[in-house]
Amino acid sequence: QVRLVESGGHSVLAGGSLRLSCEASGYTYSTYCLGWFRQAPGKEREGVAAIDSDGSTYYADSVKGRFTISQDYVMNILYLQMNNLKPEDTAMYYCAADLWAIVRARVDLMGWVRTLPTFGYWGQGTQVTVSS
């Protein structure tokens, strides 16, 4: 059973930084893709960042240049470094996973950012609050 545990969320001032972590377990890591999506109150899920099997990274336009996704393949931990945070980044952030076969098919149709919110597994989320 895929298990994802996020941590690192906090309340910060605009311009600040946070690093989110996601500990993944319960599966053969090479078979699942990991990424991040977020959801603000009253809003739909929004894909944030993904990392492909070749190390390529993909970001929502709203976070490009400010957020960096990375993965420790030995420890199976996914990270999201968030710099220059803005109030509009306030949301619950979720680590998500799905089988590569499913992800590839959806990415071909919708692209990475729109695929992320459709991932089949996610954790409990970690809250990020950015105040001005």
Side-chain angles (χ1 to χ4, degrees):
Q1 181 71 16
V2 176
R3 185 165 183 260
L4 305 168
V5 180
E6 303 96 333
S7 62
H10 216 279
S11 295
V12 296
L13 293 175
S17 297
L18 286 173
R19 188 175 82 156
L20 306 185
S21 299
C22 169
E23 295 186 37
S25 61
Y27 65 95
T28 302
Y29 83 89
S30 60
T31 61
Y32 279 79
C33 172
L34 298 179
W36 294 94
F37 68 83
R38 65 187 181 186
Q39 189 167 25
K43 294 189 176 181
E44 293 186 353
R45 294 179 180 181
E46 177 189 20
V48 175
I51 185 164
D52 205 335
S53 57
D54 64 357
S56 299
T57 54
Y58 303 88
Y59 299 95
D61 287 342
S62 58
V63 307
K64 276 180 186 175
R66 299 187 297 121
F67 290 13
T68 303
I69 187 173
S70 61
Q71 189 166 356
D72 181 331
Y73 293 97
V74 174
M75 300 299 292
N76 212 14
I77 300 175
L78 186 72
Y79 298 103
L80 186 67
Q81 177 67 41
M82 306 187 296
N83 298 328
N84 190 22
L85 283 160
K86 303 176 179 181
E88 51 264 42
D89 294 318
T90 295
M92 186 73 82
Y93 283 72
Y94 296 90
C95 173
D98 214 329
L99 289 165
W100 274 110
I102 294 175
V103 171
R104 290 271 179 238
R106 292 181 182 173
V107 166
D108 286 346
L109 288 174
M110 303 188 290
W112 275 102
V113 174
R114 293 178 64 189
T115 297
L116 282 162
T118 71
F119 277 27
Y121 300 92
W122 58 90
Q124 84 287 350
T126 187
Q127 178 67 39
V128 172
T129 302
V130 185
S131 55
S132 56

